[in-house]
């Protein structure tokens, strides 16, 4: 014979059913709650600053301080700028292509050939001392340092690459003339050739463009 459910049991079942079937009002509540809010895309913003940042691809914070002075080198005001180029002969198949890219970039930005001096050194390890000598001569507005170090089976690669990088930095600091690091440090010859006019562009040309901008900045704004 079936037994009737006790009042306590009926009450428990009723409560469980109410938890299992939430009302539609409780589901909709978070949508209507005033506490849930998000910034409007139409809220007030410094429109001019945002537009300027989009145009220049620089962060808005770069233009955030009112009345600040911003100094930049120019790629168009290049008249009279003089450059020294130190290029390593080691891995010459690569460094010749880098040098060619640099000279073509100079020509593209109206740097006269008579204002460019190319100095050849045995390898990338010897670049810094020549760069420092050129910088201290007072004849040049920037020095390009071009070389290629390719990894081998020994730690010689690390020694040369690190010495070249720190040496070029030291040359620039000690001479007060921008010395631009254009030494490729690659795992193999394919990587180096890809960066010397291949599918990754020509890092020699990029080095020349950096040198032009830094030379212009130092001559026109920081001298």
């Amino acid at each position: 014979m079936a037994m009737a459910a006790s009042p306590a049991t009926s009450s428990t079942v009723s409560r469980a059913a109410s938890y299992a079937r939430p009302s539609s009002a409780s589901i909709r509540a978070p949508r209507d709650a005033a506490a849930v809010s998000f910034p409007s895309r139409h809220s007030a913003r410094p429109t001019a600053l945002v537009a300027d940042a989009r145009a220049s691809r620089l962060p808005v914070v770069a233009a955030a301080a009112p009345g600040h002075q911003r100094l930049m080198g120019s790629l168009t005001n290049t008249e009279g700028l003089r450059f020294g180029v130190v290029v390593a002969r080691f891995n010459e198949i690569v460094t010749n292509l880098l040098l060619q890219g640099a000279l073509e970039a100079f020509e593209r930005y109206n740097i006269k050939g008579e204002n460019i001096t190319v100095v050849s050194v045995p390898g990338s390890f010897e670049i810094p001392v020549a760069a420092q000598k050129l910088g201290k001569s007072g004849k040049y507005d920037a020095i390009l340092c071009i070389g290629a170090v390719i990894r081998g089976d020994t730690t010689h690669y690390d020694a040369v690459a690190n010495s070249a990088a720190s040496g070029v930095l030291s040359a620039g600091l000690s001479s007060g003339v921008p010395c631009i690091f254009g030494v490729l440090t690659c795992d193999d010859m394919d990587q180096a050739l890809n960066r010397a006019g291949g599918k990754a562009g020509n890092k020699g040309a990029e080095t020349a463009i950096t040198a032009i901008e830094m030379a212009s900045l130092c001559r026109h704004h920081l001298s």
Side-chain angles (χ1 to χ4, degrees), residues 24-101:
S24 59
S26 64
I27 293 175
R28 291 193 302 267
R31 293 186 182 180
D32 302 330
V36 180
S37 62
F38 299 93
S40 168
R41 66 188 183 91
H42 299 297
S43 57
R45 291 181 296 175
T47 307
L49 297 182
V50 173
D52 178 67
R54 286 174 178 170
S56 63
R57 295 186 179 275
L58 292 171
V60 175
V61 69
H68 74 293
Q69 185 179 19
R70 184 174 178 180
L71 306 178
M72 292 181 64
S74 171
L75 294 176
T76 56
N77 185 15
T78 61
E79 185 175 357
L81 294 179
R82 297 180 59 87
F83 298 89
V85 182
V86 183
V87 57
R89 294 193 305 274
F90 196 77
N91 290 320
E92 197 167 25
I93 188 174
V94 177
T95 60
N96 279 346
L97 293 172
L98 295 172
L99 176 61
Q100 179 182 344

Side-chain angles (χ1 to χ4, degrees), residues 71 214 216-223:
L71 306 178
M214 286 301 297
S216 172
L217 175 65
C218 291
R219 172 179 283 203
H220 300 302
H221 300 297
L222 303 181
S223 59

Side-chain angles (χ1 to χ4, degrees), residues 64-180:
H68 74 293
Q69 185 179 19
R70 184 174 178 180
L71 306 178
M72 292 181 64
S74 171
L75 294 176
T76 56
N77 185 15
T78 61
E79 185 175 357
L81 294 179
R82 297 180 59 87
F83 298 89
V85 182
V86 183
V87 57
R89 294 193 305 274
F90 196 77
N91 290 320
E92 197 167 25
I93 188 174
V94 177
T95 60
N96 279 346
L97 293 172
L98 295 172
L99 176 61
Q100 179 182 344
L103 295 177
E104 289 174 354
F106 278 143
E107 183 179 2
R108 189 161 61 249
Y109 288 97
N110 300 315
I111 305 298
K112 297 179 180 179
E114 63 196 44
N115 290 335
I116 303 168
T117 300
V118 178
V119 177
S120 178
V121 296
S124 295
F125 193 85
E126 290 74 37
I127 288 175
V129 65
Q132 180 173 287
K133 289 283 188 180
L134 291 176
K136 288 186 174 182
S137 71
K139 298 178 181 179
Y140 304 99
D141 295 286
I143 312 298
L144 281 70
C145 301
I146 293 176
V149 184
I150 299 175
R151 188 182 298 277
D153 296 329
T154 68
T155 58
H156 182 70
Y157 164 91
D158 298 300
V160 174
N162 291 335
S163 297
S166 60
V168 169
L169 172 62
S170 178
L173 293 175
S174 63
S175 67
V177 173
C179 293
I180 312 302

